[in-house]
Amino acid sequence: MLQEESDLSLIIAQIVQKLKGSNLYSQLERQAWASLQRPEIKLESLKEDIKEFFKISGWEKKLQNAVYSELSVFPLPSHPAAPPEHLKEPLVYMRKAQGSWEKRILKSLNSMCTELSIPLARKRPVGEQKELLNKWNEMGTDEPDLSLFRPVYAPKDFLEVLINLRNPNYENGDSLSFRTHLGLIQVPLKVKDIPELGALGRSASNKVINKKQNMGPRKQDPNQREGEFPRNDSKEKFQDKGCTTGLKHNNPRLEQEKECFVELGLNIGQLGIDDSTQVPPELFENEHVRIGQKVLAEQDSAAAQQYIRQGSPTALRAELWALILNISSQPEDVLYYEQLKTNVIQHDLLVDSLIYKDVKLTASNDDYYFVFEDYLYQVLLCFSRDTSVLSHFAFNSASPPKSYIRGKLGLEEYAVFYPPNGVIPFHGFSMYVAPLCFLYHEPSKLYQIFREMYVRFFFRLHSISSHPSGIVSLCLLFETLLQTYLPQLFYHLREIGAQPLRISFKWMVRAFSGYLATDQLLLLWDRILGYNSLEILAVLAAAVFAFRAVNLMEVTSLAAAEAVLADLSTLKVMPLLQIFLFATVT
Amino acid sequence: MSRVLVPCHVKGSVALQVGDVRTSQGRPGVLVIDVTFPSVAPFELQEITFKNYYTAFLSIRVRQYTSAHTPAKWVTCLRDYCLMPDPHSEEGAQEYVSLFKHQMLCDMARISELRLILRQPSPLWLSFTVEELQIYQQGPKSPSVTFPKWLSHPVPCEQPALLREQGLPDPSRVSSEVQQMWALTEMIRASHTSARIGRFDVDGCYDLNLLSYT
């Protein structure tokens, strides 16, 4: 009891500390001061009156959304004795593996730098700055000579590192026994089974809602809210959407599976299935759109997150994502983006050439995304200059590369991070941004959404960590699902030397961007936001294999297996997920 | 409540095995670690912290003096506390753990020795233990300070009337305003934000050497 209370006050203190530095805090303060003019605010009951004012004017909602956003992104405060590295990654051998992987990347970048005799960073001469400023909106027309550049690494290099990941305390015997992993990943992380994947949806939302309900009155200034969160009734509304009474009394295994990603259930309406042309819109689609508009009117992040688990109507998607990620385009944000643009113009980084190369190789060659080439440069170049991204390294197992100002090697006052945001792009990195271009056309908003998506989700796809949404866990989850539910297929593929992970890894690292059709990809990313987890990527990968199982059983080589799975653009994501989670019961 | 670290001597862990045969496939699943306090009188235990290393379950027994004349007895104060929810997987394997007095089964007064019984039923791990073991007892309550005489017996006020006649402002008003200003500066000093400024260069310069590996 004592422990929970002290944990809770620690969490509250941490969130308050974080929010104190934010824009919202100063806005709330200003609003509180301004509200003193209002007649209903009386001196005797100042605190209560201001709280009431915040509730009515919608500021409480904004604060609520900010707190919810903090809870979703930042991990819980850890044990006081735990060093900061422990928060980044608790398992020592994974930290070491990540460290040596990073060293390899740095060596590769350094050698590229010395071979090509190009500095890591240089200040642009004034003429060049003017030229770039003029060309800012059409950087795609530029055709610099990038033939000498090569991407720092590709997903398959990263896969080799993951395959070789070993826990030194784990029995990695040569003899085949129950403890041998048949797939490529050899670390014993805990991954969910299909029954638990269902409970994922329900428990995640419950945990956060309970936490918020327990947060009682806070001690400090009157700007902080207290008391109830009118969220439960909206949650009930969404969960009762399907008729769930019928199957409850059947066998307990089926009931467990019903817990499965409960909002993706067969008898709950989904966008991606129930909005197809054969289904009359009155059955599901119209009502769903109406609820979506209501959620947007309420401006409630948590309700939006719950709503989007059933998919988002195309017209509402951009606003819903912005609400869930707690992005509101304030003038300060536009100004911040302009500042980043100025930084791009003033300094030229080697990383910029890597970004150019990556965009030219991937997004420009893609039928859906080549039109957005210019946007991609505008977002990614600014992303490299954004030092606010550095704060996510507190809970990312990776660390930003360090360097020193020329001539001042070893002096800490002249130590800087390179690139300024600490993220070195790899082959395919620009595909994280490309699908967002369909939703947002204003560069600063597009930029903010991408940055938030990166520090919440995408960073986990290219760093070695034991987090349940980390790429190692996703790979293990994929292999485990395949072995458990499609054992014949798994055995066959293994026998012909076509380990399934070799094919599906590139899908998961890119979160399926560039492999699925765009509308399907956006439906998938709706669920990533809704469940605040990337596990659905592994489930989809397994579902794709299940779908093409018949063809795969007939192939006799890795190349042939790759050919069967080369084109995913015709796949419909939601039916695949539903079949795999609900209809493939053994 | 403050806590004070108790210097302890942690003996090496002893594996418990059935029989003398040590086969290559059998690994002991139970380890016992004894902790003694050579230079400390029997004390009241407040908290135990340690870093786990692949231990699944923990039991703790303490040697306790119940009253002045009876010899000390061994009592189990924690039974099968779960550190790893799934002993075959990595969850909780390297976590930092704190155990408090209120979680124990018995009262923790007058402890002279501690015995940790570690269990790891899974054969997948080569070894298991707990590290960085620290035992805390309750710190002293805030000591009663004797106030200096001038604080407890303030000197009666001097005559303020003299100052007013000389055209100087009212000292009590001045002092209250100064106090308010001081409070404001303290508030500002206390509420430092952790927000970054956003500059990545050093004095406008971002010419770099190569990336460093350390």
Side-chain angles (χ1 to χ4, degrees):
Chain A
M1 195 56 75
L2 202 67
Q3 188 62 13
E4 284 163 29
E5 280 171 19
S6 65
D7 277 345
L8 203 53
S9 35
L10 202 58
I11 295 173
I12 294 177
Q14 186 174 302
I15 294 184
V16 167
Q17 181 65 25
K18 286 232 166 60
L19 289 178
K20 259 195 174 146
S22 73
N23 200 13
L24 182 64
Y25 183 76
S26 32
Q27 280 180 324
L28 281 172
E29 254 187 323
R30 245 178 285 143
Q31 285 296 317
W33 279 112
S35 73
L36 291 174
Q37 314 283 341
R38 304 173 73 86
E40 60 263 20
I41 311 280
K42 308 229 177 345
L43 204 58
E44 312 83 65
S45 53
L46 188 64
K47 195 164 168 175
E48 305 308 320
D49 289 342
I50 292 191
K51 280 191 196 167
E52 195 54 41
F53 165 68
F54 276 150
K55 212 176 272 207
I56 302 171
S57 56
W59 281 101
E60 189 199 54
K61 209 18 91 74
K62 293 203 177 88
L63 181 59
Q64 219 169 299
N65 289 345
V67 171
Y68 189 66
S69 168
E70 292 292 325
L71 279 174
S72 307
V73 174
F74 286 89
L76 302 176
S78 50
H79 193 271
E85 307 88 71
H86 194 257
L87 188 63
K88 284 161 79 80
E89 172 50 54
L91 300 180
V92 174
Y93 74 91
M94 287 217 176
R95 286 207 295 262
K96 286 209 175 103
Q98 172 68 22
S100 41
W101 167 238
E102 278 172 15
K103 215 163 176 174
R104 267 177 64 182
I105 299 177
L106 296 189
K107 282 205 170 111
S108 168
L109 201 55
N110 274 346
S111 64
M112 197 190 306
C113 194
T114 38
E115 272 171 39
L116 304 176
S117 314
I118 296 178
L120 283 177
R122 69 178 176 100
K123 197 154 175 119
R124 276 189 234 265
V126 178
E128 199 184 315
Q129 288 187 25
K130 272 207 191 76
E131 203 190 312
L132 186 57
L133 190 56
N134 289 338
K135 253 193 341 187
W136 180 257
N137 288 327
E138 36 181 51
M139 282 187 276
T141 54
D142 211 12
E143 294 284 344
D145 179 17
L146 298 169
S147 53
L148 295 169
F149 289 97
R150 47 177 201 281
V152 181
Y153 65 95
K156 61 176 170 352
D157 306 316
F158 190 48
L159 178 60
E160 291 304 319
V161 174
L162 296 186
I163 291 173
N164 291 324
L165 194 57
R166 294 284 183 279
N167 180 347
N169 196 33
Y170 187 70
E171 169 82 61
N172 285 311
D174 293 322
S175 56
L176 220 59
S177 71
F178 76 92
R179 59 194 72 159
T180 316
H181 289 253
L182 293 170
L184 291 175
I185 303 289
Q186 301 285 321
V187 289
L189 293 172
K190 180 101 183 103
V191 289
K192 299 189 173 73
D193 193 8
I194 283 190
E196 292 164 300
L197 282 168
L200 163 89
R202 184 167 273 173
S203 68
S205 54
N206 271 344
K207 214 187 329 190
V208 179
I209 286 171
N210 284 338
K211 253 199 194 82
K212 297 185 76 179
Q213 278 179 331
N214 285 340
M215 282 198 204
R218 303 208 200 136
K219 303 161 235 171
Q220 296 160 8
D221 52 346
N223 302 351
Q224 289 160 13
R225 59 175 318 294
E226 91 171 48
E228 354 84 18
F229 290 75
R231 188 147 303 99
N232 266 341
D233 45 312
S234 44
K235 178 171 182 277
E236 243 73 32
K237 221 187 307 181
F238 303 136
Q239 281 202 334
D240 289 338
K241 269 202 69 55
C243 157
T244 56
T245 48
L247 297 176
K248 240 187 204 132
H249 305 293
N250 286 4
N251 81 62
R253 179 77 186 273
L254 257 183
E255 183 170 341
Q256 256 191 331
E257 292 213 347
K258 255 189 43 70
E259 293 291 305
C260 264
F261 270 119
V262 69
E263 295 86 356
L264 298 184
L266 289 167
N267 43 18
I268 297 182
Q270 301 293 331
L271 282 183
I273 300 172
D274 299 301
D275 56 338
S276 66
T277 43
Q278 297 97 331
V279 181
E282 303 84 57
L283 268 184
F284 168 70
E285 199 180 344
N286 287 348
E287 178 68 9
H288 194 63
V289 172
R290 199 184 61 79
I291 297 183
Q293 284 162 340
K294 190 149 179 254
V295 167
L296 280 175
E298 290 285 312
Q299 284 290 295
D300 188 335
S301 291
Q305 188 166 330
Q306 180 68 26
Y307 169 78
I308 211 173
R309 290 179 183 181
Q310 289 172 271
S312 160
T314 319
L316 305 179
R317 183 173 278 129
E319 286 178 57
L320 273 172
W321 282 23
L323 181 56
I324 294 172
L325 298 170
N326 202 31
I327 306 271
S328 55
S329 243
Q330 307 278 331
E332 296 88 23
D333 303 312
V334 180
L335 205 61
Y336 189 76
Y337 177 74
E338 292 295 317
Q339 176 67 37
L340 292 175
K341 183 173 155 185
T342 319
N343 289 340
V344 174
I345 292 177
Q346 282 180 346
H347 293 274
D348 178 27
L349 302 180
L350 179 63
V351 170
D352 292 349
S353 310
L354 295 176
I355 290 173
Y356 268 108
K357 179 109 189 178
D358 183 45
V359 173
K360 291 278 184 218
L361 282 178
T362 55
S364 306
N365 284 334
D366 191 302
D367 293 333
Y368 294 109
Y369 303 124
F370 71 93
V371 287
F372 299 122
E373 193 181 336
D374 299 322
Y375 279 118
L376 294 178
Y377 295 127
Q378 291 175 27
V379 167
L380 286 167
L381 293 180
C382 290
F383 182 64
S384 298
R385 280 22 172 221
D386 193 350
T387 50
S388 67
V389 176
L390 290 172
S391 55
H392 93 286
F393 284 107
F395 49 89
N396 183 358
S397 59
S399 299
K402 224 167 86 164
S403 181
Y404 295 91
I405 300 290
R406 202 179 290 280
K408 308 270 193 247
L409 192 65
L411 298 174
E412 280 316 303
E413 315 85 74
Y414 293 95
V416 288
F417 292 119
Y418 182 84
N421 72 342
V423 179
I424 296 186
F426 55 92
H427 179 68
F429 193 82
S430 53
M431 295 306 281
Y432 289 142
V433 191
L436 303 174
C437 298
F438 276 103
L439 299 175
Y440 304 98
H441 306 297
E442 208 263 298
S444 75
K445 188 138 193 205
L446 173 62
Y447 175 73
Q448 277 184 281
I449 296 274
F450 166 64
R451 180 181 60 184
E452 192 61 30
M453 291 282 280
Y454 183 81
V455 303
R456 275 199 202 204
F457 304 111
F458 296 146
F459 76 90
R460 298 201 191 278
L461 295 173
H462 62 93
S463 54
I464 304 176
S465 108
S466 59
H467 193 272
S469 271
I471 189 69
V472 186
S473 303
L474 294 183
C475 291
L476 192 58
L477 176 59
F478 164 74
E479 290 189 321
T480 313
L481 284 174
L482 216 56
Q483 282 180 58
T484 316
Y485 296 99
L486 298 161
Q488 255 193 324
L489 175 64
F490 190 86
Y491 180 75
H492 171 74
L493 288 174
R494 200 167 167 262
E495 286 295 294
I496 63 171
Q499 278 274 9
L501 186 60
R502 288 200 188 275
I503 305 173
S504 66
F505 186 72
K506 53 188 187 290
W507 303 339
M508 291 193 284
V509 165
R510 278 204 203 162
F512 282 89
S513 171
Y515 297 105
L516 293 174
T518 328
D519 59 329
Q520 297 301 312
L521 182 72
L522 292 174
L523 286 170
L524 179 67
W525 285 18
D526 281 343
R527 270 70 179 193
I528 292 181
L529 281 170
Y531 290 99
N532 202 30
S533 140
L534 293 165
E535 281 155 325
I536 202 158
L537 296 176
V539 179
L540 180 61
V544 170
F545 271 74
F547 185 61
R548 300 237 169 121
V550 175
N551 290 356
L552 284 169
M553 285 302 287
E554 291 173 12
V555 300
T556 49
S557 70
L558 175 59
E562 300 243 18
V564 169
L565 293 166
D567 183 13
L568 306 183
S569 55
T570 51
L571 293 182
K572 299 259 175 280
V573 158
M574 297 318 300
L576 279 183
L577 284 170
Q578 279 195 335
I579 292 172
F580 188 73
L581 286 174
F582 295 90
T584 330
V585 182
T586 48
Chain B
M1 215 173 307
S2 63
R3 53 178 203 182
V4 168
L5 186 62
V6 181
C8 56
H9 173 63
V10 180
K11 294 205 186 130
S13 53
V14 174
L16 300 184
Q17 272 181 305
V18 176
D20 295 323
V21 182
R22 190 181 286 205
T23 64
S24 57
Q25 276 159 339
R27 257 183 232 117
V30 187
L31 284 184
V32 176
I33 298 180
D34 273 323
V35 183
T36 54
F37 306 96
S39 48
V40 180
F43 62 95
E44 173 161 3
L45 191 119
Q46 178 80 3
E47 183 183 340
I48 302 178
T49 42
F50 57 87
K51 179 171 191 287
N52 187 16
Y53 189 75
Y54 293 96
T55 306
F57 301 100
L58 176 67
S59 301
I60 303 182
R61 302 197 84 206
V62 289
R63 197 163 190 195
Q64 197 177 38
Y65 287 98
T66 41
S67 65
H69 302 293
T70 52
K73 277 176 26 174
W74 283 100
V75 183
T76 305
C77 63
L78 195 66
R79 201 187 300 275
D80 278 342
Y81 183 76
C82 178
L83 296 171
M84 286 169 66
D86 176 8
H88 294 302
S89 78
E90 302 259 13
E91 202 179 339
Q94 297 192 22
E95 288 300 322
Y96 286 84
V97 182
S98 267
L99 297 167
F100 296 91
K101 187 167 75 168
H102 63 84
Q103 291 172 275
M104 306 293 184
L105 296 169
C106 67
D107 139 54
M108 300 297 280
R110 293 180 296 276
I111 307 286
S112 63
E113 251 185 274
L114 210 67
R115 180 168 281 172
L116 297 160
I117 302 167
L118 314 175
R119 288 206 301 118
Q120 176 48 273
S122 167
L124 295 174
W125 311 110
L126 298 176
S127 72
F128 63 97
T129 182
V130 295
E131 297 166 346
E132 296 174 34
L133 189 63
Q134 291 182 319
I135 320 275
Y136 295 93
Q137 65 174 332
Q138 193 163 343
K141 300 206 175 33
S142 47
S144 55
V145 187
T146 52
F147 287 107
K149 223 205 219 126
W150 56 267
L151 254 183
S152 39
H153 301 294
V155 175
C157 296
E158 288 139 17
Q159 321 303 322
L162 267 154
L163 287 169
R164 271 202 210 102
E165 284 164 12
Q166 291 175 13
L168 289 170
D170 177 23
S172 50
R173 234 193 69 206
V174 170
S175 79
S176 76
E177 278 169 8
V178 169
Q179 270 182 20
Q180 277 178 15
M181 273 204 304
W182 175 85
L184 261 166
T185 50
E186 281 298 305
M187 236 171 56
I188 292 179
R189 189 153 31 118
S191 65
H192 70 97
T193 80
S194 48
R196 290 174 178 273
I197 300 176
R199 300 209 58 82
F200 56 81
D201 51 353
V202 177
D203 296 332
C205 171
Y206 198 60
D207 278 331
L208 304 175
N209 276 328
L210 294 177
L211 298 170
S212 74
Y213 299 127
T214 45

